[in-house]
C-alpha cells in the first residue's frame, strides 16, 4: 500500500481534478556538487495535456525524468504522479505511467516483437491481451512488417519508434518521453509527432522533454523552461510567446559580426539584453521600436549589412534564449 | 507472487534467447574447459600420481662391466619410471653434451674397473689396514642431472644408485669373507649365512588411504577436470557482468526499474541461464574425461560413487561464480572495467586456489593462502569425491563455503541494484 501523495491535501476536490503530474518544491542535490541538480521546482501538469519541458544541457531535465521514473529520490519536496508519491508509490504508478527513455532502451539481439513481448510481460500482461497489445503497438509504430527482425538491424528511426511503443504496451494514462526525436529521420519524427497527437486526443497526458523548440511550440499546449535546476517559467505557448512579443527585435546579418558587436550594442540606451548567435542578433528592450534607428546605425558603423529584421513576433526560441542565455543550446 | 514468477520465467526466457543468439560465445563457453582438460590432462599425465607412464630417459655409461655396472643396469632396467640407455664406451664429455642437448635427463657414470677397485679397497678394509694407509680410494659413481629436473627426482635417483651400491658392497663383502675362509679353513669352512635372502625388513609398502580403502592417488585428470571446470565456471563471470552492464548502458535496465520489476526477477532471470551453462560445462568436462580421454591415451577419470555430492558441488560452485559476476557488474562502470576486473580476479583466485598450480606443490604458506580462494574450496570438494572417495557429508564444508560466498556476493549485488549501498 503506497503512501498518499503529500501534495494531495493541497488539491481540493475529487481525484479527477488533480494534476496528472505534480512537483512541489522538488529538489535534488548530489554529493560533491555545489549546485543542486534541481532546486525547488513547482510544476503541475494537468490531465489530458501535452506538456513540454525545455532546458539547455545540464538544466536538470534528466534528473527530473529519473525522479519521475522512480530511479532517484528527491532530497527535498515531492513529485507525484496521479496522486502517488514517486518515492513510495511505485507499484501504483507503474500501471498508469509509461516512460520512454532518451536512448532506445531495447535488446538489440531480440526482434521487435520479442522486445514488446518481454516488456509487456514485465508490465504484467499475458496471453491474448498481450498478443493484441503487441500487434497494436507494432501497427502504431508502422513496423508490423519488421516485427520479426532483430533490432540491431533497424535504423535509428525504427529503434526510436519501437522505444516509444514499448512505453505504451500496457496502455498507460500518463506518458513521459525524454527527447524522443533526437537524431532521427524526418519521417520517423513526423510519425512520432502524429502518434503523440493521437494519444493526446485519446486522453493520455504527455510530458515531453525536448531540445527542439519547433517541436515544443507545435506539439505542446503548455511548456516549462528550466535552467540550472530552477524553473524559469511555465505556461501555455501563447502566454510564453506573449512574454517577449513586444520586447524583442531579431536581426539577421549579412555577414559574420565582429567579436565586440555584442559589447558595442549593449551601450545603446534603452536596451535591456542583447544576444549574438552567429549572424542572428536578439535584442530585448522595453520599447523596441524606439531602438530600431540607433541599432541600425550601430550595425552599419561596424560595416555590416542587415538581411532581415523583425520585431513584435517572438518565437519560442527567442523566449528560450532570452530566459536561459544559452544561444548554443537550442536547435 | 504468481505474477512475479511469470516475470521470472519471461526474464529467463529472454536471457536464454539472447545467449542462444551468440553462438560463438556459446561454443567458447563449452569448448574452452573441454579443450583445456584434454590438453593439460594429456600433457601433465606423467607429472601426477604413481604411474608407470611417468618416465624419463637415463643414460648409464657403464665402462665397468662387472658387478657394479651390472647391478646398476639391472636395477634401472627393472624400474618402470626409467627409460634406460646404455653405453659402454662413451666418454664423460660426450655424456655431458648429450645431457645438455636434452637427450637424457640423467647420466650415471660408472668408471672402468669400478668393481676391481671396490674389491681391492674391500681387501684392505678386511685386512684391517688403517684408513690413512689404504691405497685404494672409494669408487666414485657420479650422477649428472638436467637442471630442469626437479630436485626431488634427482634425490630419488641418487638414493636408488646409493642403494644399489650398498647391495653390491654387501655381496662383495660376503664373497671376500668366503674366499678368506676358504683359504684358511679349506673347502669345508664354516658356512656363511645366505645374506641375499636374509633381509630383516620387508620391502617398504606404500599405500594411499581413502574412505573406501581404494589405494589410488590423484591423477592428472583428477586434478585438471575439476580445476578447469571451476575456472570455466568462474570465467563466465566475464560475459555475465558484461551483459548486465550492457543492459544498463542500453537503458533496458533503467526501463525495468521504472516498471518496478523486483530485483530478484531481474538478477535471477539473468543468473539461471548462466547456471545452466555452468552445469552443462561440468557435465561435458566430466563426460570427456571419462569417455574421450582414455581413447587419446590419457587416464580415465574415476568419478567416485557420490553423484549427488558432485551435483551439489557443481551447483554451489556455479552459484558462487554467478554471485561474483553480479557483484562485479553492480560496481563496474563500463564493460571494459567489468571484463578486466573479473577476468583478472578469476585468474588470481585460480592461481591462488590450486587451479593453475596444484596445491600439493605449493609451499606451506601458499597452501594456507590457497584456502582463501573459493576455487580452492571447489577443487577440494570435487577431489573429496574423485580422489578420497567422499560423499555428501564430506563435501558439505566446501559446499557451504561456496554458498556463503554466493550469498554474500548476491546480497551485495542486490543491495547495490536497489541503490541501498
Amino acid at each position: 500500500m503506497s503512501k498518499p501523495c503529500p501534495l494531495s491535501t493541497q488539491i481540493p476536490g475529487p481525484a479527477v481534478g488533480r494534476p496528472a503530474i505534480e512537483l512541489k518544491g522538488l529538489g535534488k542535490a548530489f554529493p560533491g556538487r555545489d549546485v543542486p541538480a534541481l532546486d525547488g521546482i513547482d510544476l503541475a501538469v494537468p490531465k489530458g495535456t501535452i506538456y513540454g519541458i525545455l532546458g539547455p544541457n545540464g538544466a536538470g531535465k534528466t534528473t527530473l525524468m529519473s525522479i519521475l521514473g522512480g530511479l532517484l529520490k528527491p532530497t527535498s519536496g515531492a513529485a507525484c504522479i496521479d496522486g502517488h508519491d514517486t518515492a513510495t508509490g511505485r507499484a501504483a504508478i507503474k500501471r498508469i505511467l509509461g516512460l520512454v527513455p532518451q536512448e532506445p532502451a531495447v535488446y538489440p539481439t531480440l526482434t521487435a516483437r520479442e522486445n514488446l513481448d518481454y516488456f509487456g510481460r514485465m508490465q504484467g500482461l499475458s496471453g491474448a491481451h498481450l498478443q493484441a497489445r503487441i500487434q497494436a503497438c507494432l501497427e502504431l509504430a508502422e513496423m508490423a512488417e519488421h516485427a520479426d527482425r532483430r533490432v540491431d538491424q533497424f535504423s535509428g528511426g525504427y529503434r526510436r519508434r519501437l522505444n516509444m511503443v514499448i512505453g505504451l504496451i500496457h496502455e498507460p494514462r500518463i506518458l513521459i518521453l525524454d527527447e524522443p526525436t533526437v537524431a532521427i529521420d524526418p519521417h520517423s519524427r513526423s510519425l512520432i509527432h502524429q502518434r503523440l497527437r493521437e494519444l493526446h486526443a485519446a486522453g493520455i497526458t504527455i510530458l515531453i522533454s525536448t531540445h527542439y523548440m519547433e517541436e515544443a511550440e507545435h506539439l505542446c499546449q503548455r511548456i516549462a523552461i528550466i535552467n540550472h535546476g530552477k524553473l524559469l517559467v511555465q505556461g501555455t505557448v501563447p502566454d510564453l510567446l506573449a512574454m517577449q512579443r513586444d520586447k524583442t527585435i531579431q536581426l539577421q546579418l549579412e555577414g559574420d559580426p565582429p567579436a565586440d558587436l555584442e559589447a558595442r550594442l549593449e551601450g545603446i540606451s534603452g536596451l535591456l539584453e542583447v544576444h549574438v548567435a552567429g549572424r542572428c542578433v536578439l535584442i530585448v528592450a522595453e520599447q523596441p521600436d524606439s531602438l530600431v534607428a540607433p541599432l541600425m546605425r550601430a550595425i552599419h558603423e561596424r560595416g555590416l549589412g542587415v538581411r532581415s529584421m523583425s520585431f513584435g513576433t517572438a518565437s519560442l526560441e527567442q523566449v528560450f534564449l532570452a530566459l536561459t542565455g544559452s544561444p548554443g543550446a537550442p536547435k | 507472487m504468481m505474477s512475479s514468477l511469470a516475470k521470472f520465467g519471461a526474464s529467463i526466457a529472454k536471457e536464454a534467447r539472447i545467449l542462444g543468439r551468440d553462438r560463438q560465445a556459446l561454443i567458447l563457453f563449452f569448448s574452452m574447459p573441454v579443450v583445456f582438460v584434454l590438453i593439460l590432462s594429456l600433457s601433465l599425465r606423467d607429472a601426477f600420481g604413481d604411474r608407470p607412464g611417468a618416465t624419463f630417459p637415463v643414460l648409464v655409461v657403464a665402462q665397468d662391466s662387472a658387478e657394479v655396472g651390472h647391478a646398476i643396469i639391472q636395477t634401472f632396467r627393472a624400474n618402470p619410471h626409467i627409460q634406460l640407455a646404455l653405453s659402454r664406451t662413451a666418454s664423460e664429455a660426450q655424456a655431458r653434451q648429450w645431457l645438455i642437448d636434452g637427450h637424457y635427463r640423467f647420466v650415471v657414470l660408472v668408471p672402468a674397473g669400478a668393481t676391481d677397485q671396490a674389491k681391492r679397497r674391500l681387501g684392505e678394509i678386511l685386512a684391517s689396514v688403517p684408513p690413512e694407509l689404504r691405497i685404494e680410494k672409494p669408487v666414485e659413481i657420479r650422477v649428472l642431472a638436467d637442471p630442469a629436473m626437479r630436485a626431488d627426482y634427482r634425490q630419488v635417483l641418487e638414493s636408488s644408485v646409493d642403494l644399489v651400491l650398498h647391495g653390491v658392497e654387501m655381496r662383495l663383502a660376503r664373497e671376500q669373507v668366503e674366499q678368506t675362509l676358504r683359504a684358511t679353513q679349506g673347502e669345508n669352512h664354516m658356512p656363511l649365512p645366505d645374506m641375499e635372502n636374509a633381509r630383516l625388513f620387508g620391502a617398504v609398502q606404500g599405500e594411499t588411504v581413502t574412505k573406501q580403502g581404494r589405494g589410488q592417488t590423484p591423477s592428472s585428470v583428477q586434478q585438471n577436470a575439476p580445476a578447469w571446470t571451476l575456472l570455466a565456471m568462474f570465467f563466465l563471470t566475464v560475459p555475465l557482468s558484461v551483459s548486465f552492464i550492457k543492459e544498463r548502458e542500453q537503458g533496458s535496465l533503467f526501463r525495468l526499474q521504472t516498471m518496478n520489476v523486483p530485483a530478484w526477477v531481474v538478477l535471477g532471470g539473468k543468473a539461471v541461464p548462466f547456471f545452466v551453462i555452468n552445469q552443462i560445462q561440468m557435465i561435458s568436462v566430466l563426460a570427456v574425461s571419462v569417455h574421450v580421454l582414455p581413447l587419446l591415451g590419457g587416464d580415465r577419470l574415476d568419478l567416485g560413487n557420490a553423484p549427488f555430492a558432485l551435483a551439489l558441488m557443481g551447483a554451489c560452485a556455479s552459484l558462487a561464480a554467478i554471485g561474483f559476476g553480479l557483484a562485479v557488474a553492480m560496481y563496474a562502470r563500463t564493460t571494459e572495467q567489468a571484463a578486466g576486473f573479473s577476468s583478472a580476479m578469476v585468474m588470481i583466485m585460480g592461481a591462488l586456489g590450486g587451479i593453475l598450480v596444484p596445491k600439493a606443490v605449493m609451499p606451506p604458506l601458499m597452501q594456507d593462502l590457497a584456502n582463501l580462494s573459493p576455487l580452492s574450496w571447489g577443487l577440494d570438494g570435487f577431489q573429496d569425491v574423485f580422489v578420497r572417495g567422499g560423499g555428501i557429508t564430506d563435501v558439505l564444508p566446501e559446499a557451504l563455503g561456496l554458498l556463503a560466498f554466493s550469498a554474500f556476493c548476491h546480497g551485495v549485488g542486490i543491495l547495490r541494484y536497489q541503490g541501498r549501498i
Side-chain angles (χ1 to χ4, degrees):
Chain A
M1 183 70 185
S2 67
K3 288 182 190 171
C5 177
L7 311 180
S8 59
T9 53
Q10 300 167 17
I11 302 163
V16 288
R18 69 187 171 209
I21 299 170
E22 190 178 18
L23 315 178
K24 189 73 180 172
L26 189 71
K28 179 68 188 177
F30 292 103
R33 289 193 203 167
D34 297 336
V35 183
L38 292 176
D39 188 5
I41 302 250
D42 291 304
L43 194 75
V45 178
K47 283 183 177 167
T49 55
I50 303 185
Y51 201 108
I53 300 279
L54 297 182
N57 289 332
K61 299 192 299 292
T62 301
T63 305
L64 175 58
M65 294 291 171
S66 297
I67 289 174
L68 292 174
L71 297 179
L72 290 177
K73 288 184 180 173
T75 41
S76 61
C80 294
I81 292 176
D82 200 30
H84 303 282
D85 192 322
T86 56
T88 56
R90 297 309 308 168
I93 288 173
K94 72 159 193 167
R95 285 193 291 272
I96 52 176
L97 176 69
L99 209 145
V100 180
Q102 185 173 348
E103 292 302 320
V106 292
Y107 293 100
T109 54
L110 298 185
T111 65
R113 188 188 303 280
E114 288 165 346
N115 269 288
L116 284 163
D117 182 276
Y118 175 63
F119 286 113
R121 288 180 194 278
M122 291 301 107
Q123 288 284 18
L125 309 183
S126 62
H129 179 51
L130 172 61
Q131 295 313 314
R133 284 303 304 152
I134 291 171
Q135 200 53 38
C137 286
L138 288 169
E139 284 166 13
L140 199 66
E142 289 187 1
M143 56 194 310
E145 69 273 29
H146 303 297
D148 297 312
R149 274 176 60 197
R150 279 167 54 153
V151 173
D152 53 12
Q153 297 168 354
F154 283 172
S155 66
Y158 270 82
R159 286 188 199 205
R160 287 197 180 274
R161 291 192 216 175
L162 178 63
N163 189 39
M164 185 179 81
V165 293
I166 287 173
L168 294 167
I169 187 79
H170 59 301
E171 299 177 277
R173 298 202 307 270
I174 299 168
L175 184 64
I176 297 177
L177 304 100
D178 190 5
E179 308 209 16
T181 58
V182 170
I184 57 169
D185 60 284
H187 178 70
S188 291
R189 180 177 296 166
S190 167
L191 181 77
I192 288 175
H193 288 171
Q194 186 186 334
R195 293 302 181 231
L196 290 177
R197 287 193 189 96
E198 288 168 6
L199 291 167
H200 170 241
I204 292 175
T205 306
I206 297 169
L207 177 69
I208 177 171
S209 87
T210 180
H211 262 122
Y212 296 112
M213 299 297 135
E214 198 179 340
E215 180 173 86
E217 196 171 338
H218 292 112
L219 201 60
C220 302
Q221 297 160 308
R222 297 179 70 86
I223 285 172
I225 298 177
I226 63 173
N227 195 18
H228 301 306
K230 291 180 188 294
L231 178 67
L232 301 181
V233 67
Q234 64 169 318
T236 62
V237 174
D239 287 346
L240 293 187
L241 295 178
M243 285 173 65
Q244 298 294 110
R245 177 158 297 160
D246 297 318
K247 294 183 181 177
T248 60
I249 302 174
Q250 193 172 12
L251 292 164
Q252 193 71 32
L253 303 176
E254 286 183 335
D256 293 328
D260 65 342
L261 181 67
E262 192 167 310
R264 173 74 183 82
L265 297 179
E266 277 171 353
I268 296 173
S269 168
L271 188 146
L272 296 176
E273 287 178 41
V274 58
H275 302 283
V276 178
R279 294 181 179 184
C280 179
V281 180
L282 183 71
I283 308 290
V284 181
E286 279 300 334
Q287 292 181 306
D289 49 346
S290 67
L291 286 181
V292 172
L295 200 58
M296 294 298 284
R297 197 162 46 244
I299 289 170
H300 285 311
E301 280 172 7
R302 309 297 293 175
L304 294 167
V306 176
R307 175 172 292 167
S308 66
M309 182 176 73
S310 64
F311 64 98
T313 55
S315 68
L316 193 58
E317 183 168 345
Q318 289 167 334
V319 176
F320 183 89
L321 279 172
L323 288 170
T324 64
S326 306
K331 296 180 179 73
Chain B
M1 189 61 193
M2 275 308 288
S3 168
S4 289
L5 281 178
K7 290 177 186 175
F8 185 48
S11 289
I12 293 170
K14 177 265 296 176
E15 195 61 33
R17 201 169 273 146
I18 289 173
L19 278 170
R21 289 193 179 150
D22 194 350
R23 297 238 168 90
Q24 289 87 346
L26 278 182
I27 290 169
L28 189 69
F29 294 158
F30 297 128
S31 62
M32 190 265 270
V34 166
V35 169
F36 267 114
V37 166
L38 282 176
I39 293 173
L40 288 159
S41 296
L42 290 171
S43 322
L44 298 174
R45 63 193 286 261
D46 292 352
F48 289 84
D50 177 25
R51 37 170 301 112
T55 59
F56 40 84
V58 176
L59 170 69
V60 175
V61 181
Q63 292 172 342
D64 177 85
S65 54
E67 280 96 333
V68 175
H70 183 72
I72 289 174
I73 291 165
Q74 289 307 311
T75 304
F76 281 7
R77 193 166 276 156
N79 188 332
H81 295 286
I82 289 175
Q83 298 165 13
L84 179 65
L86 184 60
S87 171
R88 296 283 183 192
T89 56
S91 67
E92 181 180 339
Q94 272 177 321
R96 281 178 181 274
Q97 191 56 50
W98 289 335
L99 195 69
I100 288 166
D101 293 344
H103 298 301
Y104 304 103
R105 297 295 189 191
F106 293 102
V107 171
V108 182
L109 293 172
V110 185
T115 305
D116 292 342
Q117 186 184 343
K119 283 180 179 174
R120 288 196 297 276
R121 182 169 168 81
L122 182 63
E124 289 178 347
I125 292 167
L126 290 177
S128 300
V129 176
E132 63 275 16
L133 297 178
R134 290 176 196 162
I135 297 168
E136 292 297 341
K137 302 287 180 213
V139 181
E140 275 194 2
I141 308 292
R142 283 185 297 149
V143 175
L144 312 178
D146 177 353
M149 284 308 284
R150 283 161 42 180
D152 51 349
Y153 280 23
R154 201 163 65 230
Q155 197 168 8
V156 166
L157 193 98
E158 288 166 3
S159 297
S160 66
V161 172
D162 225 20
L163 201 64
V164 172
L165 296 175
H166 190 66
V168 174
E169 277 173 357
M170 291 283 289
R171 202 158 51 245
L172 291 178
R174 185 181 182 280
E175 285 172 10
Q176 198 81 356
V177 170
E178 199 169 14
Q179 276 180 16
T180 307
L181 285 175
R182 199 177 290 127
T184 54
Q185 297 178 12
E187 285 302 320
N188 295 324
H189 63 80
M190 188 182 75
L192 287 173
D194 177 10
M195 294 304 289
E196 294 272 337
N197 298 306
R199 288 205 59 174
L200 303 181
F201 305 99
V204 176
Q205 296 295 316
E207 185 185 350
T208 54
V209 178
T210 69
K211 285 231 158 207
Q212 296 162 350
R214 294 177 308 174
Q216 84 264 38
T217 51
S219 64
S220 172
V221 69
Q222 283 171 327
Q223 160 73 19
N224 285 311
W228 292 97
T229 303
L230 285 164
L231 202 73
M233 281 181 171
F234 272 79
F235 251 112
L236 231 57
T237 58
V238 177
L240 173 62
S241 56
V242 166
S243 101
F244 209 93
I245 290 168
K246 270 188 184 168
E247 271 199 41
R248 199 164 66 206
E249 288 175 349
Q250 287 159 358
S252 38
L253 202 59
F254 164 87
R255 184 162 240 153
L256 293 173
Q257 285 175 310
T258 65
M259 290 175 174
N260 209 31
V261 179
W264 73 268
V265 169
V266 177
L267 302 183
K270 197 162 272 298
V272 168
F274 280 89
F275 180 86
V276 172
I277 291 176
N278 276 167
Q279 302 315 302
I280 297 173
Q281 282 179 317
M282 183 179 77
I283 290 166
S284 54
V285 166
L286 296 184
V288 163
S289 303
V290 171
H291 299 295
V292 179
L293 208 53
L295 301 177
L296 301 174
D299 290 328
R300 182 180 185 277
L301 177 65
D302 183 351
L303 293 177
N305 293 316
F308 291 112
L310 283 183
L312 179 67
M313 283 309 301
C316 292
S318 177
L319 290 174
I322 288 166
F324 179 66
L326 289 178
V328 170
M330 291 302 128
Y331 279 90
R333 289 184 180 164
T334 61
T335 53
E336 290 81 8
Q337 251 183 27
F341 179 76
S342 51
S343 55
M345 282 304 294
V346 169
M347 287 309 287
I348 290 170
M349 287 194 290
L352 190 66
I355 302 294
L356 306 180
V357 178
K359 279 196 284 184
V361 303
M362 291 181 182
L365 174 66
M366 292 308 292
Q367 289 194 15
D368 289 342
L369 286 176
N371 293 326
L372 296 173
S373 167
L375 276 86
S376 166
W377 313 337
L379 189 57
D380 283 347
F382 278 111
Q383 289 193 336
D384 277 346
V385 179
F386 292 154
V387 182
R388 293 180 275 276
I392 286 268
T393 51
D394 299 291
V395 303
L396 264 186
E398 289 93 352
L400 289 175
L402 288 167
L403 274 185
F405 178 79
S406 170
F408 173 76
C409 290
H410 275 97
V412 167
I414 288 172
L415 289 176
R416 180 78 175 178
Y417 177 82
Q418 293 172 333
R420 294 191 204 171
I421 55 173

